[in-house]
Amino acid sequence: MNGRMILALVVLGFTSIVAQTLAIREFMIAFYGNELTIGIIMANWILLGAMGSFIAGRFAERTEKAASAYVLLQTGLTLYLPISIFLIRTIKNILGLVAGEGAGPIPILLSSLVILAPIGLMVGALFPFGAAMLSRTGESAIRSPGRAYVLEGIGFMIGGPVFTYLLITRLDSFGIFFFTGAINMVSAVLLLKEKHSKPTGRLMSVAVMMILALIAASFLFVSRPLNVLSIDKQWKGQHVLKYVNSIYGNLAVSGSGDQYTFYSNGIPIIAAPAPDIVSVEERVHFTMLGAAKTKKVLLIGGGVGGIIREVLKYPVEKVTYVELDPSLIRLVKEFPTPLTEKELSDPRVEIHNIDGRRFLRTSKDKYDVIMLNLPMPSTLQLNRFYTHEFFLDVKEHIEETGIFSFSLPGSLSYISPEQARLNGSIMATLDGVLYSAVIPGDNNLYLGSRTEFAINPEKYLSRLNGYNISTSLINEQYLAHRLDPKVRDWFLGELSRYPGIRKNTDLLPSGSFYGTWYWTELFSKKMGRLFAIVDRLNIFSLLVVIGLVAAVFIGLGLTHPRSHKICSLFVLGTTGFTGMSLSLIIMYAYQSLYGFIFQQIAMLVMAFMAGLTLGSYLMNRRLEAIKDTCGAFFLIEIVCLGSCIAFIPILLFLNADPKTGLAWIFFLASAVAGSFVGFEFPIANKVCAEGGRAMSSSGIVYAVDLAGSWLAALFVSVALVPVIGMVMTSVLLVAIKVASITLVLAGSRD
């Protein structure tokens, strides 16, 4: 195995993780996505990769020109990557959607499938051709797929942090893909170096070098104009003044005259100097007037652009403003308005760039008012701020007569079933921690306190007059209208029509499911009916399904002449599913317990890939010495089963008492989850390669590995974790491993 081939396979892993991550970010901006959007895009990506690997595996077995095929695929990938960015940014125009308009799951599914098809198929096809290249250099045909798997994993490990800390903060999306393409073309030139003596090789080398020069020139001279052009297409009808990426997401500013609108991942979050007066004044004054004192105020998200101005009208000593992304504050300062300048320059305002939940976990201060100004819990990341555990953190930091507030989507005319479930789940969760009340409206405002309180128009008006505060909307008539108890009674009556709604906790994040359901129903009634079916899932029905599927495969294992191969593929697929599922659960649990720390989340992903790479490397070294593959599978599966079982009490223990000193357990667990996939891939490839078709088998094995990850990406985040919870999902993984162990025993008769 020479250095050129090592570089080529490492570049494959690097390209794959960079392209996947950037595509997800761009689609999230285009479609204002959530967990369902991410699940759809990841599922399409993995499915296309599996198809590409499966198809290419058959050709890689027969061709003697694997390196040439690899170079052609690298070249095609290099040329298409920038095109994909332009297509993603203009897809809403193609679909007839305007800027600011969302899209349903079906358009997202179809558009991402079409746009990502060339990338996914080519990335998937590169793996079997890469394994074939290794086998042509004297590398054992049985070991070469495992070696390729290790090298690709190293590329993943390098690509993740490089993308996060270097590329995304310094280059635009076109620049990132031109840079990635240039690396692929350098690799291609090196691969063709040994073919220079042949006319065809010299011709290919010249063509590849010309493409490399073109990519380099595009990086220097074309990237910025393309970026500007595509942004203009994406934000048709709006004058975009700034478009930047941070490690937390995309930020944009549009302007019209003296008015600025700031966007986060395509969603408007700040309007200045003229904000939405109704939303701002109701949010602030309905909260502040309910508190006995207003000296210390905590704002979690969404403070700048009107909220702080209204808060400072009260006798406030300190406003603590927690905003995760420092780039947002810098952007607001870069495009100042009289409103935002006054808010951010007031000496009473103290800004903390930290995750809001982590801030509460690490702070010892108490507040008279805590206002949560975040979107509804349509993602697991946002859902952390609407759970039982978060409300307990709020309770620890609010004064006895203080007020906590947040809002959810509402209506004063009709409450849809999906809206009722979302509001009912979060309201029931709040009721279990604080005395609570709700002010219905287009945005339902929820108030909570450690002591009983009443929403009284007369009391609110008296305090408003006592503070001598001037507002645009809030007066005696407005208070009497908006705080009418009959409206609250009607709203609560509507919610009571939907019994059995699950409360929202860290380990059972039902709020994200109801939020995604509500979001989906806005675009597709049919998808809404699918969510209704998923909502009825329970652990017992899922165990029955697992049992039936296992019975079918066990039957095949006992009767099919190739039972050994069926067994190995099934076991690898279930391990791919289990590994990806555990990785997702670990990531969500870590964020819930310790807050969203981007660097730590990136390290969790790296730990998983490190475990996968190390496991594959260690097993590949001993592969030819292993005679009893069933015995090896059985041993790995037993350890995997034991780890899944042990993970459940560890998760419960850490959730009950989150000690920062034990955070390392999550990184260890992530590495262990990846290692099982790494250990089993070379063995499965050895089993399937029996009979001399190692390269075509490598494509099939790689496709099965991806298929397991595909199922996890599609179902775990959207359905299993939000509906049955992290603990029951872990129990499900235990059952899956029991089934695969049973199949190993059944297949061992060969």
Side-chain angles (χ1 to χ4, degrees), residues 553-554 556-558 560 562-575 629-630 633-634 637 680 684 687-688 704 739-750:
F553 277 91
I554 290 171
L556 289 173
L558 293 172
H560 199 278
R562 296 181 178 179
S563 61
H564 203 174
K565 294 183 179 181
I566 293 174
C567 164
S568 65
L569 291 175
F570 179 84
V571 170
L572 180 65
T574 61
T575 302
T629 52
C630 269
F633 264 130
F634 181 77
E637 287 292 287
E680 290 190 352
V687 172
C688 292
V704 170
S740 64
I741 288 172
T742 306
L743 184 60
V744 169
L745 295 175
S748 64
R749 68 184 185 87
D750 275 7

Side-chain angles (χ1 to χ4, degrees), residues 94 161 319-320 435 453 504 514 532 547 556:
I94 297 171
V319 176
T320 303
Y435 292 100
F453 67 100
N504 194 34
Y514 292 130
L556 289 173

Side-chain angles (χ1 to χ4, degrees), residues 77-369:
L77 194 58
T78 296
L79 294 174
Y80 183 74
L81 284 174
I83 296 173
S84 69
I85 294 297
F86 195 87
L87 290 175
I88 294 172
R89 290 184 177 178
T90 57
I91 188 63
K92 291 181 75 171
N93 297 331
I94 297 171
L95 295 175
L97 303 173
V98 299
E101 184 178 359
I106 300 302
I108 294 172
L109 172 68
L110 296 177
S111 59
S112 63
L113 184 64
V114 171
I115 293 173
L116 295 179
I119 304 176
L121 291 171
M122 284 189 283
V123 167
L126 280 165
F127 181 83
F129 282 114
M133 280 195 309
L134 295 181
S135 69
R136 303 288 189 271
T137 60
E139 179 81 22
S140 165
I142 293 177
R143 292 180 60 187
S144 61
R147 185 66 62 88
Y149 199 64
V150 170
L151 294 172
E152 184 190 35
I154 292 173
F156 269 102
M157 291 174 59
I158 296 171
V162 168
F163 176 85
T164 301
Y165 301 115
L166 295 177
L167 299 183
I168 197 63
T169 56
R170 289 169 172 79
L171 301 176
D172 59 53
S173 296
F174 286 97
I176 291 172
F177 272 167
F178 283 134
F179 173 79
T180 305
I183 293 175
N184 275 271
M185 289 297 92
V186 169
S187 168
V189 169
L190 294 175
L191 283 176
L192 291 172
K193 186 177 180 181
E194 62 187 22
K195 297 178 176 290
H196 284 177
S197 59
K198 301 176 182 179
T200 305
R202 287 197 297 271
L203 183 62
M204 287 187 67
S205 296
V206 171
V208 168
M209 292 183 71
M210 288 177 64
I211 293 173
L212 175 58
L214 176 64
I215 292 297
S218 298
F219 177 78
L220 294 173
F221 305 111
V222 180
S223 176
R224 182 174 175 79
L226 264 180
N227 193 52
V228 172
L229 175 63
S230 63
I231 290 171
D232 287 341
K233 296 284 187 182
Q234 184 178 28
W235 297 79
K236 191 175 181 180
Q238 298 192 48
H239 181 41
V240 178
L241 303 172
K242 191 86 171 183
Y243 189 92
V244 296
N245 289 312
S246 78
I247 60 174
Y248 299 104
N250 173 267
L251 297 170
V253 185
S254 69
S256 178
D258 295 330
Q259 181 72 10
Y260 296 126
T261 303
F262 297 80
Y263 298 83
S264 175
N265 291 328
I267 300 173
I269 55 173
I270 299 171
D276 180 354
I277 293 297
V278 175
S279 175
V280 168
E281 289 203 351
E282 286 194 354
R283 173 71 63 86
V284 173
H285 298 297
F286 287 172
T287 302
M288 299 290 284
L289 293 173
K293 296 184 298 180
T294 60
K295 290 184 178 181
K296 295 180 67 177
V297 178
L298 172 63
L299 304 176
I300 301 177
V304 69
I307 296 288
I308 293 176
R309 177 187 65 185
E310 296 301 313
V311 168
L312 292 175
K313 291 179 179 180
Y314 290 81
V316 172
E317 293 179 356
K318 185 171 79 168
V319 176
T320 303
Y321 174 29
V322 176
E323 185 65 62
L324 176 63
D325 193 347
S327 299
L328 176 61
I329 302 300
R330 287 196 293 267
L331 205 59
V332 171
K333 291 180 178 179
E334 186 177 342
F335 295 90
T337 67
L339 168 63
T340 55
E341 281 188 316
K342 187 175 181 181
E343 287 179 323
L344 297 179
S345 63
D346 193 291
R348 293 171 291 175
V349 177
E350 181 180 273
I351 301 174
H352 295 263
N353 295 125
I354 186 175
D355 175 75
R357 186 148 179 187
R358 183 170 179 81
F359 177 82
L360 287 180
R361 287 276 169 94
T362 56
S363 173
K364 296 181 180 179
D365 293 338
K366 288 198 171 187
Y367 300 90
D368 300 303
V369 174

Side-chain angles (χ1 to χ4, degrees), residues 612-630:
L612 183 147
T613 304
L614 180 61
S616 184
Y617 172 76
L618 293 175
M619 184 56 67
N620 213 50
R621 290 188 63 183
R622 294 183 50 83
L623 192 60
E624 292 179 336
I626 295 174
K627 305 302 180 183
D628 182 9
T629 52
C630 269

Side-chain angles (χ1 to χ4, degrees), residues 369-384:
V369 174
I370 299 178
M371 295 172 57
L372 179 67
N373 303 304
L374 294 175
M376 69 174 181
S378 59
T379 69
L380 289 168
Q381 161 69 2
L382 287 170
N383 188 74
R384 303 178 303 115

